[in-house]
């Protein structure tokens, strides 16, 4: 960078700037620039330069004022000494304020001092410096100023004051510290002087400097000077955009001293000739390389400069980097070529129409669609290939767009292509308004919809065929939306007595139902509407009223459909007058059959494929005492006593599976009050129309009397009685041996288990330092396994004892037993937070000891599987199902998957790992044994992580 001294460059630079500004603002330049851009843009660009120059001149004049005053002061001859009175008058006129403080920085009066000027604080005497001066200082400066006061250093502050007229004025205070002979601080003494004019001049100067620096820093242009030999003598480009132009190696070179540049070639030859004529030039564009070797484009403008004698001294001017503009223009040309290619090669039919309805542009796809060349179509009337009515409509729509009523429209028209055929298309037209001097035009995109029109025509033909099928259907068919009729066929009008085609339209469907059946049909329709998953309305015979008042009988059925975009119901009404007589005959036949069946003394029954009873005659209640209606739906095996149930189940399965065509066997039935009764069963498979087994049917003949007679005969036989006694004794002996064996097994198994556990404990305690972590873990596993085996042996023995223990039924308060067990569990684990709910007053006829065992196992399971809940819940209550009391123990614990429910009550089967919940897997098997001995049932309902409910019944 080359700089000249400020005194040598200031005056020529100012003159040159004014000349450039005058040249740029001349009418000729403005007129020439207006052809390329707005003249206002040029004025806006040149105006800051003019203002900056003027500001610089003003600043120079302001800088000279102090110098002139200083010179005048120096040159003034010495004045004689002033008298005291004249000195005071001079101080008063000068508006200076003489002030002094004591050692505590409190302003004191100065005897004989001039009066305090209006700009100074009038109430200062008697007040401290902190009260008068510090509050008027900026907060950050006040902190530093207090530090200066504390150090007793010289002070200099400027206060902003406001005159009575509202004018802002500035007061400068300067003071020096005072010390006595011993160096002790005595206070401050100083003078206050108004510096309003100096402050304003300084502010103006600072603002002008900021403007000049900002103008130089952010300007996109660089300033240059050339000598008479057209060599650069000064280059200024501080904004960074043209910084590489101001390098030292550029000084002394010419503009065209560039690599690979020939001054005799264009455009340099013409430019050099123009410079030789000493004429201004503007916007000369040339390319060069920047410091990084990248090509850049520059635009320079300059004017000739003459010395005081009028001799040509060179040029000065500005340089602007126009690389972005050049590249933008190149990108614009590239984009224009790209979009032109995109227009020509687009697969969519695109064209443009002038305001006088002629094709301006046509791409290849549109030309191919119309069967003509692009050249032949350009200039052709746009409506030449349209039908007359389509052409007139298109002209009217384009006229509306030109009038400003719309800016686009879409329509379907047919073009007559070159081969004479008509092709349907969807034409979308949009008005392109006038811009940059270009006249308005229309952009047209046409889409070939001939295939779509053919599809629509075929669809309309199909709809017409379906409409005819609907209209000519022999069944009365109606479409109802919201319960009202919207569409009917001829059969419906004939059935309901409608003489006109639309006589039934809008009529409420329920209003046609006979008043006696209307409430029933309304309830059925409400239920159908609520059951959204049910697609079909089942058929039902109803009585309807024709429009002429005549009553008819018809079977009504319906199906959900969508009609005209809305949910609807398609009704079909069938005249069932002929069927009613046949149904009456069938009803009478069924009544006769029912009378015969009900009069038979044998039990007649039917079951489904799963063995659930679907029919019992009256003999069932007479024989067993159970209500036939309550028994239907239960499994036939539920009424067979436990001893015969397995055998009966095998025979029934063989019949249902098709192995036996008929089964005859005897078994015992439970009764409600008289004990088991012997029946002889004759059962056959029940087949459907396809010979598939769908259940079984048969008879149960009560043979209890015969069995009792046979038993009486056997009782009379002494030999048989003896054998019975012997067998009884043998059975008792066998039971005693079994108990002895159980005790022996328990003792013989427990002894080695205790030995293993004991020695493992000794090794763990005495030899633990010699064992590593794995060895200690193995010993712990041995002890846990032996202890678990011992608990398992105890549970097996308890389970075996349950089947042999003598039952003693009595009235047992189940609620009280549950409360006792829960209290014990709370005492065993007092830190658990469990909410228990026990329904009071639940009694049952049961063995107290056995039922306590069952309840204890169920409640301990609930307590165990809720251990991971912050607030556990355990509930015991009873429900009434099919006139039978069902007891329930429920919890909100871990729950289980119901797919494993079949293994729930088997010994040693666990649904949770031993690491999750402790146990041996015997508890629920014990519960089942107890409930079975009470001739009851036990089952469970659960879901993972949603708790479990265990239900059981007790035979009373």
């Amino acid at each position: 960078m080359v700089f000249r001294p400020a005194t040598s460059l200031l005056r020529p630079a100012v003159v040159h700037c004014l000349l450039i500004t005058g040249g740029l603002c001349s009418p000729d330049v403005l007129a020439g620039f207006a052809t390329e851009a707005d003249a206002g843009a040029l004025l806006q660009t040149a105006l800051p330069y003019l203002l900056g120059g003027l500001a610089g001149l003003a600043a120079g004049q302001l800088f000279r004022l102090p110098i002139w005053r200083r010179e005048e002061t120096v040159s003034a001859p010495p004045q004689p000494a002033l008298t005291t009175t004249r000195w005071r008058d001079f101080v008063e006129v000068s508006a200076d304020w003489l002030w002094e403080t004591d050692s505590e920085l409190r302003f004191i009066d100065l005897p004989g001092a001039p009066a305090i000027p209006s700009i100074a604080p009038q109430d200062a005497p008697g007040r401290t410096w902190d009260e008068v001066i510090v509050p008027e200082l900026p907060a950050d400066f006040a902190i530093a100023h207090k530090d200066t006061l504390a150090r007793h250093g010289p002070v200099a502050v400027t206060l902003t004051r406001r005159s009575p007229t509202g004018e802002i004025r500035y007061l400068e205070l300067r003071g020096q510290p005072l010390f006595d002979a011993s160096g002790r601080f005595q206070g401050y003494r100083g003078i206050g002087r108004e510096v309003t004019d100096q402050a304003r001049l300084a502010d103006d100067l600072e603002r002008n400097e900021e403007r000049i620096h900002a103008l130089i820093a952010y300007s996109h242009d660089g300033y240059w000077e050339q000598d008479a030999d057209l060599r650069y003598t000064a280059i200024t480009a501080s904004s960074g955009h043209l910084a590489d132009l101001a390098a030292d190696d550029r000084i002394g070179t010419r503009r065209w001293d560039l690599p690979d540049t020939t001054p005799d070639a264009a455009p340099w030859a013409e430019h050099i000739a123009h410079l030789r004529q000493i004429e201004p030039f503007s916007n000369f564009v040339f390319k060069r390389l920047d410091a990084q070797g990248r090509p850049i484009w520059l635009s320079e403008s300059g004017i000739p400069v003459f010395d005081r004698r009028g001799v040509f001294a060179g040029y000065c001017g500005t340089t602007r980097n126009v690389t972005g503009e050049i590249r933008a223009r190149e990108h614009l040309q590239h984009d224009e070529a790209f979009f032109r290619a995109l227009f020509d090669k687009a697969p969519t039919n695109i064209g443009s129409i002038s305001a006088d309805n002629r094709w301006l542009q046509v791409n290849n796809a549109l030309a191919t669609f119309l069967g003509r060349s692009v050249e032949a179509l350009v200039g052709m009337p746009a409506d030449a290939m349209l039908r007359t009515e389509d052409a007139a409509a298109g002209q009217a729509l384009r006229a509306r767009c030109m009038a400003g009523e719309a800016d686009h429209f879409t329509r379907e028209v047919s073009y007559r292509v070159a081969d004479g055929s008509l092709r349907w298309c969807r034409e979308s037209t949009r008005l392109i308004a006038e811009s940059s001097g270009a006249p308005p035009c229309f952009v047209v995109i046409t889409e070939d919809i001939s295939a779509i029109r053919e599809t629509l025509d075929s669809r309309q033909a199909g709809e017409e065929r379906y409409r005819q099928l609907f209209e000519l259907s022999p069944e009365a068919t109606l479409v109802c939306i919201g319960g009202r009729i919207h569409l009917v066929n001829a059969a419906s009008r004939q059935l309901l007595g409608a003489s006109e085609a639309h006589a039934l339209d809008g009529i409420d469907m329920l209003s046609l139902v006979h008043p006696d059946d209307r409430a029933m049909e309304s309830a059925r329709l409400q239920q159908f509407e609520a059951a959204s998953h049910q697609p079909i309305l089942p058929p039902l015979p109803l009585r309807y009223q024709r429009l002429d008042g005549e009553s008819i009988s018809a079977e009504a059925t319906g199906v959900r459909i969508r009609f005209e975009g809305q949910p609807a119901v398609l009704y079909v009404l069938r005249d069932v007058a002929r069927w009613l007589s046949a149904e009456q005959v069938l009803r009478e036949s069924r009544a006769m059959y029912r009378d015969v069946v009900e009069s038979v003394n044998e039990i007649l029954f039917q079951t489904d494929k799963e063995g659930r009873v679907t029919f019992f005659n009256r003999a069932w209640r007479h024989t067993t005492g159970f209500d036939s209606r309550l028994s239907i739906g239960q499994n036939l095996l539920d009424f067979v006593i436990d001893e015969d149930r397995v055998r009966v189940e095998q025979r029934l399965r063989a019949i249902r599976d098709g192995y036996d065509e008929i089964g005859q066997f005897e078994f015992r039935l439970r009764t409600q009050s008289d004990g088991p009764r012997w029946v002889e069963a004759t059962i056959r498979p029940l087949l459907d129309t396809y010979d598939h087994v769908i259940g079984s049917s048969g008879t149960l003949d009560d043979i209890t009397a015969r069995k009792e007679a046979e038993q009486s005969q056997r009782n009379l036989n002494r030999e048989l009685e003896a054998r019975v006694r012997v067998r009884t004794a043998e059975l008792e002996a066998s039971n005693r041996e079994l108990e002895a064996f159980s005790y022996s097994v328990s003792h013989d198994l427990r002894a080695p288990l205790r030995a293993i556990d004991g020695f493992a404990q000794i090794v763990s305690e005495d030899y633990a330092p010699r064992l590593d972590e794995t060895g200690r873990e193995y010993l712990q596993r041995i002890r846990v396994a032996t202890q678990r085996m011992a608990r398992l042996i105890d549970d097996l023995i308890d389970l075996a004892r349950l089947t042999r223990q003598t039952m003693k039924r009595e009235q047992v308060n189940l609620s009280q037993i549950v409360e006792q067990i829960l209290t014990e569990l709370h005492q065993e684990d007092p830190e658990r937070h469990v909410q228990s709910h026990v329904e009071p007053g639940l009694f049952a006829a049961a063995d107290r000891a056995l039922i306590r065992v069952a309840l204890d196992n169920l409640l301990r399971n609930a307590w165990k599987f809720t251990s991971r809940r912050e607030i556990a819940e355990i509930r015991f209550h009873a429900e009434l199902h099919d006139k039978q009391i069902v007891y329930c123990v429920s919890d909100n614990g871990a729950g289980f998957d119901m797919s494993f429910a079949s293994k729930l009550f088997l010994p040693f089967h666990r649904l949770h790992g031993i690491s999750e919940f402790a146990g041996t897997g015997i508890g629920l098997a014990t519960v089942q044994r107890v409930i079975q001995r009470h001739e009851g049932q036990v089952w469970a309902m659960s879901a993972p992580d949603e708790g479990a409910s265990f239900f059981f019944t007790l035979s009373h």
Side-chain angles (χ1 to χ4, degrees), residues 47 62 110 143 228 241 266 535 581 622 628 755 780 844 939:
L47 187 58
L62 292 177
L110 297 177
I143 297 174
H241 297 282
S581 59
H622 176 73
S628 302
Q780 182 63 23
W939 68 95

Side-chain angles (χ1 to χ4, degrees), residues 97-260:
W97 173 38
L98 304 180
W99 57 268
E100 186 175 342
T101 68
D102 57 14
S103 60
E104 296 179 355
L105 301 182
R106 188 179 304 276
F107 286 96
I108 61 177
D109 287 326
L110 297 177
I116 299 176
S118 60
I119 191 174
Q122 299 299 316
D123 56 349
R127 300 176 64 193
T128 65
W129 184 276
D130 288 343
E131 295 174 347
V132 177
I133 305 301
V134 174
E136 298 189 22
L137 298 178
D140 52 350
F141 180 75
I143 297 174
H145 178 68
K146 288 182 178 180
D147 182 65
T148 301
L149 294 175
R151 292 186 288 101
H152 302 153
V155 295
V157 297
T158 301
L159 305 180
T160 302
R161 312 288 293 173
R162 189 175 295 273
S163 66
T165 60
E167 180 185 6
I168 296 178
R169 301 168 67 184
Y170 299 92
L171 175 65
E172 181 184 59
L173 300 181
R174 291 183 177 273
Q176 293 291 334
L178 301 178
F179 301 93
D180 58 10
S182 63
R184 187 167 48 190
F185 175 70
Q186 299 295 317
Y188 277 95
R189 180 180 297 159
I191 187 170
R193 176 169 296 170
E194 182 176 3
V195 293
T196 302
D197 293 338
Q198 293 88 328
R200 290 175 180 173
L201 288 174
D203 289 342
D204 293 341
L205 179 61
E206 183 178 359
R207 283 194 296 270
N208 290 333
E209 289 179 351
E210 289 177 355
R211 291 193 188 100
I212 294 173
H213 286 300
L215 183 63
I216 295 175
Y218 295 104
S219 174
H220 291 273
D221 296 346
Y223 174 76
W224 53 266
E225 293 180 4
Q226 290 178 333
D227 58 15
D229 197 23
L230 303 180
R231 296 180 182 275
Y232 287 113
T233 59
I235 301 176
T236 303
S238 60
S239 65
H241 297 282
L242 304 169
D244 58 330
L245 295 178
D248 294 340
D249 58 353
R250 296 295 297 155
I251 302 300
T253 65
R254 296 184 177 91
R255 185 175 296 108
W256 50 86
D257 292 342
L258 298 173
D260 301 330

Side-chain angles (χ1 to χ4, degrees), residues 399-598:
R400 289 186 58 195
C401 291
M402 293 296 294
E405 299 179 11
D407 62 350
H408 70 282
F409 61 88
T410 302
R411 60 176 183 153
E412 292 185 2
V413 296
S414 59
Y415 281 88
R416 188 171 297 280
V417 297
D419 59 3
S421 61
L422 287 175
R423 306 185 81 175
W424 281 93
C425 69
R426 181 179 290 107
E427 182 183 272
S428 300
T429 304
R430 181 174 290 276
L431 174 65
I432 304 299
E434 179 180 0
S435 63
S436 301
C441 64
F442 295 91
V443 174
V444 181
I445 299 177
T446 60
E447 178 186 0
D448 188 0
I449 60 171
S450 300
I452 298 176
R453 287 296 295 257
E454 293 177 1
T455 303
L456 290 176
D457 293 342
S458 301
R459 181 176 178 180
Q460 291 174 356
E463 291 179 354
E464 182 62 26
R465 287 194 297 270
Y466 285 118
R467 184 176 296 277
Q468 290 181 1
L469 289 175
F470 175 80
E471 181 67 21
L472 300 177
S473 174
E475 299 287 355
T477 309
L478 308 90
V479 177
C480 293
I481 300 177
R484 294 190 175 275
I485 300 174
H486 278 248
L487 183 65
V488 297
N489 64 350
S492 299
R493 293 191 292 271
Q494 181 180 0
L495 179 65
L496 298 174
S499 58
E500 299 179 0
H502 300 285
L504 294 173
D505 291 356
I507 295 179
D508 191 347
M509 187 67 182
L510 278 176
S511 65
L512 298 176
V513 180
H514 193 277
D516 295 343
D517 295 345
R518 192 170 296 164
M520 177 181 64
E521 178 65 2
S522 176
R524 188 170 79 115
L525 291 178
Q526 291 178 1
Q527 184 178 3
F528 179 64
E529 292 177 0
S532 58
H533 62 280
Q534 180 182 352
I536 298 175
L537 181 66
L540 180 68
L542 296 170
R543 287 175 295 171
Y544 287 86
Q545 281 186 326
R546 290 162 48 96
L547 296 183
D548 56 9
E550 181 183 353
S551 296
I552 59 172
S553 296
E555 182 187 63
T557 184
V559 62
R560 298 181 192 272
I561 64 170
R562 292 194 67 82
F563 183 75
E564 297 180 351
Q566 302 181 57
V569 178
L570 177 68
Y571 283 97
V572 177
L573 305 181
R574 295 184 179 91
D575 189 359
V576 295
R578 298 188 307 272
W579 301 347
L580 291 179
S581 59
E583 187 177 355
Q584 181 65 26
V585 174
L586 179 60
R587 233 187 264 115
E588 294 175 355
S589 176
R590 288 179 177 174
M592 184 182 302
Y593 172 76
R594 188 180 299 108
D595 292 340
V596 173
V597 169
E598 297 297 341

Side-chain angles (χ1 to χ4, degrees), residues 43 85 110 132 228 230 280 305 404 411 453 455 505 581 588 672 687 709 715 769 788 792 839 844 857 867 896 953:
L43 292 176
T85 303
L110 297 177
V132 177
L230 303 180
V305 178
R411 60 176 183 153
R453 287 296 295 257
T455 303
D505 291 356
S581 59
E588 294 175 355
Q672 192 170 18
L687 306 177
N715 290 337
R788 184 169 178 270
L792 188 60
E839 184 176 349
N857 279 279
S867 59
F896 60 88
T953 60

